[in-house]
Amino acid sequence: MYTGECHCGNVQLKISHLTKTATRCNCSVCRRYAALWGYFTESEVEITVGKSGLESYEHGDRYISFHRCQNCGCMTHYTSTPKAQSDRVAVNYHMFPMAVISSVHVRHFDGADSWKFLDE
C-alpha cells in the first residue's frame, strides 16, 4: 500500500499499486497546478479527508473536478464528474514520497493544443 498526503496531512490518498506511467499535462489548469497525474478507478483509491475539508474546482466542459486541501492548498487529486460518465480518479503523485514515485515514467501530454502525448 502506498500513502500520500497533502502538506498538512488533512487529505490522505492510499493506492495499492503505482501506475507504470504518470502524466504531466500542459493544459491551462494542469500547468498552473504543476501536478503529476496517476490514473486510477474510484475503487482503486482510498481518499480520507480531515476536519479542514476539501475545495473543488471545475473548468470548461466540467468533466473533471479538481480537489485541493482547504487548509494547505495542495492539489491532491481530481475526480470525474457525473457528466463525464467515468469512474476515473487521478492522484497527484507529488503528494507521495519522492522515493516512491521515482520509478514511475513521466509522459508529457499536450492538453493545451494537440491532445496528444508529446513523447510518442
Side-chain angles (χ1 to χ4, degrees):
M1 185 68 72
Y2 298 95
T3 302
E5 63 183 13
C6 64
H7 193 260
C8 72
N10 179 58
V11 180
Q12 292 189 345
L13 306 164
K14 290 185 181 178
I15 53 177
S16 64
H17 65 280
L18 298 174
T19 54
K20 291 181 182 178
T21 63
T23 301
R24 185 169 315 283
C25 177
N26 67 355
C27 77
S28 62
V29 174
C30 291
R31 71 179 174 84
R32 286 175 171 87
Y33 292 154
L36 183 61
W37 300 118
Y39 301 113
F40 298 88
T41 62
E42 290 174 358
S43 64
E44 295 176 308
V45 182
E46 181 184 328
I47 301 167
T48 305
V49 181
K51 289 188 274 182
S52 295
L54 284 176
E55 289 183 335
S56 299
Y57 174 71
E58 296 171 13
H59 175 73
D61 59 16
R62 303 200 186 288
Y63 281 92
I64 295 172
S65 186
F66 295 93
H67 304 284
R68 70 181 189 97
C69 174
Q70 202 165 0
N71 186 49
C72 67
C74 286
M75 183 61 53
T76 56
H77 65 289
Y78 78 63
T79 56
S80 299
T81 65
K83 182 179 177 181
Q85 298 181 4
S86 172
D87 68 346
R88 178 187 254 188
V89 174
V91 299
N92 184 354
Y93 273 143
H94 287 305
M95 299 302 110
F96 293 79
M98 288 300 298
V100 169
I101 62 169
S102 63
S103 65
V104 178
H105 175 71
V106 177
R107 299 201 60 206
H108 298 281
F109 183 74
D110 185 16
D113 211 13
S114 69
W115 278 82
K116 295 181 181 177
F117 282 98
L118 298 172
D119 51 359
E120 290 186 334

